[in-house]
Amino acid sequence: MMKLMLVSLLSTTLFGTGVAVGKSADPAHIASPNQYEVLHENEEVLVLKMTLKPNEQDNWHKHNAETVYFEKGGKATITTAEKDMTLEIPNGYVMWHDQWEHQVKNVGDTTITAIIVEKK
């Protein structure tokens, strides 16, 4: 039940606002090549692996509609054009949302890893 409440809270808090993606931000793997590795790419999808070590932050970037699987969660501050929010993301958490721009900082003491499947 607690995990379901967290999923609902994260989805509403982060993605319920429909933040528009501008033309200035680069895709994650271009903006932050040290944190995003391309695992697969074709005409349909881009698959990335995100790794954020403690106190590490990626650069401002954009994603198309995506599904994200957090292999290892952690404590992160996510900054959008509208707000900053600090969240505890559980291991195994999966989310989907429309395109957006943001920046992520790992404010915890463990490495956060996620697999991102992004629509082209």
Side-chain angles (χ1 to χ4, degrees):
M1 183 67 167
M2 183 62 112
K3 188 171 183 178
L4 179 59
M5 289 172 42
L6 178 62
V7 169
S8 178
L9 175 64
L10 283 174
S11 296
T12 302
T13 302
L14 290 177
F15 316 115
T17 60
V19 175
V21 175
K23 297 185 185 231
S24 60
D26 286 324
H29 65 292
I30 304 296
S32 300
N34 293 331
Q35 289 83 31
Y36 294 86
E37 173 189 358
V38 176
L39 298 179
H40 181 76
E41 183 173 13
N42 63 29
E43 301 79 33
E44 302 293 324
V45 297
L46 172 65
V47 182
L48 304 171
K49 180 169 185 175
M50 179 197 78
T51 304
L52 278 175
K53 297 175 185 168
N55 297 311
E56 189 173 34
Q57 178 173 303
D58 59 16
N59 295 313
W60 187 262
H61 62 277
K62 66 180 177 181
H63 292 281
N64 291 326
E66 64 181 346
T67 299
V68 181
Y69 166 66
F70 287 90
E71 292 178 300
K72 295 188 179 182
K75 188 173 182 179
T77 297
I78 300 172
T79 301
T80 67
E82 296 176 342
K83 59 187 162 188
D84 292 347
M85 60 220 100
T86 300
L87 305 165
E88 289 280 349
I89 303 165
N91 293 343
Y93 178 68
V94 177
M95 67 179 155
W96 177 91
H97 58 84
D98 267 328
Q99 63 182 2
W100 68 322
E101 291 184 7
H102 68 282
Q103 186 172 33
V104 183
K105 181 174 184 180
N106 183 342
V107 295
D109 56 6
T110 60
T111 298
I112 298 171
T113 59
I115 303 297
I116 301 165
V117 180
E118 186 173 333
K119 184 178 176 181
K120 288 285 237 19

